[in-house]
C-alpha cells in the first residue's frame, strides 16, 4: 500500500511539473491562467508568480484581471518580496478601486512597505514611506476591520523614527559637538513632547550645556554656566528623582563654584 501511495505521488509530481512547463511555454493565456490558479491554491507561489508575470500584460486594465492581480500581489507578499508586493497591491487598488478586495489590498500594500522598514540605526527612508502609506490607509478606511492592526504598525514605525532622532541627537554629545547636541536635543524634545526618552534627553542636554560651559573661553563662560544651570532645573523639575540625580548634582555643584567667580 505504501509503495502504491509513493508511486501515485511521484506520478502526480511529474504530471504537475509537466503541466507547469507546458503552461510556461504555451501562448494560450487561458491555460496559463488555469495552471497559475492551481499553483496559487496549492501555495506554490514562486511558480505561480512566473505565470502571473507572463499573464500580466494581457490582463492589465481589464475587468477579468482582478483575480489575476489579486493572486499575483498575494503571491509576492507570501514569498516576502515586499517591494514587488507593495507595488502590486497599490496597482490593484488603483486599477480596481471598487473591488471587494480593495480595502484588504490597501492594507496589505501598506503592510508590505512597513516590512521594508530597517532597524532604527540605519537610513529610515523606507520607514518614512511606510508611515505615509499606512497613514493614507488609516485616513481612507477609518472604520476598517484592519484599523487596530494598522494603528499598531503605524505606532511602531513612528516609535522607530523617534528613537532614530533621539540617538542622532545624543550622538552629537558623544562626539563632543556640544552646541549641536543642545540644538538637536531641544528640537527632539519639542517635536516629541510625550517621548519616553525625555528624561534621558534632558540629562544629555544638561551634560552638553555643562561641558560646553566649563570648556568655554572666559568671555562666554558665565552665560553658558547660567544656561547649564537652567538645564539642570529643567531635568529635576521634570523628574525630581531622576536616575541621573547624582551626576546632575555634581554638575550643579561645579556650576555654582564657577559662577561664584563672577559674583566677586
Amino acid at each position: 500500500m505504501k509503495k502504491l501511495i509513493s508511486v501515485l505521488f511521484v506520478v502526480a509530481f511529474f504530471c504537475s511539473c509537466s503541466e507547469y512547463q507546458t503552461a510556461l511555454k504555451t501562448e494560450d493565456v487561458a491555460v496559463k491562467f488555469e495552471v497559475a490558479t492551481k499553483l496559487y491554491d496549492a501555495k506554490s507561489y514562486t511558480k505561480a508568480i512566473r505565470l502571473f508575470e507572463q499573464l500580466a500584460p494581457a490582463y492589465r486594465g481589464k475587468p477579468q484581471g482582478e483575480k489575476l492581480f489579486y493572486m499575483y500581489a498575494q503571491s509576492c507578499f507570501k514569498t516576502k518580496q515586499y517591494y514587488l508586493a507593495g507595488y502590486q497591491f497599490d496597482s490593484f487598488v488603483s486599477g480596481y478601486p471598487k473591488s471587494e478586495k480593495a480595502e484588504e489590498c490597501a492594507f496589505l500594500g501598506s503592510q508590505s512597505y512597513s516590512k521594508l522598514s530597517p532597524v532604527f540605526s540605519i537610513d529610515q527612508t523606507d520607514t518614512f514611506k511606510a508611515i505615509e502609506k499606512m497613514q493614507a490607509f488609516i485616513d481612507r478606511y477609518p472604520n476598517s476591520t484592519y484599523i487596530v492592526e494598522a494603528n499598531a504598525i503605524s505606532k511602531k514605525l513612528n516609535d522607530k523614527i523617534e528613537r532614530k532622532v533621539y540617538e542622532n541627537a545624543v550622538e552629537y554629545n558623544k562626539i563632543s559637538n556640544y552646541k549641536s547636541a543642545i540644538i538637536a536635543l531641544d528640537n527632539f524634545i519639542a517635536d516629541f513632547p510625550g517621548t519616553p526618552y525625555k528624561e534621558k534627553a534632558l540629562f544629555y542636554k544638561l551634560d552638553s550645556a555643562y561641558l560646553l560651559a566649563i570648556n568655554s573661553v572666559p568671555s562666554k563662560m558665565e552665560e553658558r554656566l547660567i544656561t547649564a544651570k537652567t538645564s539642570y532645573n529643567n531635568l529635576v523639575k521634570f523628574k525630581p528623582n531622576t536616575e541621573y540625580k547624582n551626576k546632575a548634582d555634581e554638575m550643579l555643584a561645579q556650576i555654582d563654584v564657577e559662577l561664584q567667580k563672577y559674583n566677586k
Side-chain angles (χ1 to χ4, degrees):
M1 185 64 178
K2 289 183 179 180
K3 288 185 178 180
L4 177 60
I5 292 174
S6 297
V7 170
L8 291 173
F9 175 80
V10 171
V11 171
F13 173 77
F14 281 106
C15 286
S16 174
C17 289
S18 176
E19 185 179 39
Y20 171 61
Q21 292 299 326
T22 299
L24 282 175
K25 297 174 184 178
T26 185
E27 297 296 323
D28 190 333
V29 293
V31 172
K32 287 183 186 293
F33 193 100
E34 181 184 356
V35 175
T37 301
K38 285 182 180 179
L39 290 168
Y40 176 82
D41 290 340
K43 300 183 180 181
S44 185
Y45 301 118
T46 300
K47 287 184 176 180
I49 286 172
R50 289 192 64 188
L51 291 173
F52 292 143
E53 288 171 343
Q54 293 182 351
L55 287 165
Y59 283 87
R60 195 171 304 281
K62 296 180 180 179
Q64 58 267 41
E66 181 178 341
K67 181 179 179 181
L68 167 71
F69 288 106
Y70 174 79
M71 292 189 295
Y72 189 5
Q74 283 280 13
S75 296
C76 294
F77 185 82
K78 292 178 187 297
T79 54
K80 300 183 179 182
Q81 299 181 63
Y82 296 122
Y83 276 113
L84 186 55
Y87 172 80
Q88 291 299 334
F89 281 124
D90 281 352
S91 295
F92 182 92
V93 174
S94 177
Y96 306 97
K98 296 182 179 180
S99 169
E100 63 178 17
K101 300 288 189 182
E103 180 182 325
E104 177 191 4
C105 288
F107 172 70
L108 290 175
S110 301
Q111 191 177 36
S112 296
Y113 291 109
S114 75
K115 289 183 179 294
L116 294 168
S117 173
V119 294
F120 78 91
S121 57
I122 61 177
D123 181 78
Q124 293 298 303
T125 299
D126 284 332
T127 304
F128 281 113
K129 185 173 183 179
I131 290 171
E132 180 184 345
K133 291 287 187 180
M134 192 58 72
Q135 190 58 52
F137 171 81
I138 292 169
D139 292 342
R140 185 172 182 179
Y141 299 100
N143 300 313
S144 171
T145 55
Y146 302 103
I147 201 67
V148 173
E149 189 174 357
N151 282 325
I153 293 171
S154 183
K155 183 182 184 306
K156 185 177 180 180
L157 294 169
N158 279 289
D159 287 349
K160 188 180 293 186
I161 294 298
E162 182 177 324
R163 184 174 180 186
K164 176 69 171 179
V165 176
Y166 166 75
E167 295 289 352
N168 284 348
V170 170
E171 186 63 24
Y172 286 118
N173 172 275
K174 294 180 178 179
I175 63 174
S176 303
N177 188 346
Y178 302 123
K179 287 183 181 180
S180 295
I182 293 168
I183 293 170
L185 287 162
D186 267 341
N187 290 338
F188 171 75
I189 292 167
D191 291 340
F192 302 95
T195 178
Y197 303 112
K198 187 170 183 177
E199 180 185 356
K200 294 179 184 292
L202 287 169
F203 170 73
Y204 279 110
K205 183 185 173 185
L206 164 61
D207 187 60
S208 298
Y210 168 76
L211 291 170
L212 179 64
I214 64 172
N215 290 295
S216 291
V217 295
S219 61
K220 295 183 178 181
M221 183 174 288
E222 182 180 16
E223 179 184 356
R224 288 175 175 174
L225 286 167
I226 293 170
T227 298
K229 191 166 185 175
T230 299
S231 295
Y232 170 88
N233 291 334
N234 288 337
L235 172 62
V236 296
K237 181 180 180 181
F238 174 72
K239 194 167 186 180
N241 61 338
T242 174
E243 63 176 291
Y244 303 106
K245 189 69 164 57
N246 291 338
K247 291 181 181 179
D249 285 347
E250 289 174 7
M251 292 182 204
L252 178 63
Q254 186 61 39
I255 289 169
D256 285 337
V257 168
E258 295 296 330
L259 282 173
Q260 286 297 320
K261 297 176 183 179
Y262 295 93
N263 294 329
K264 295 178 180 179

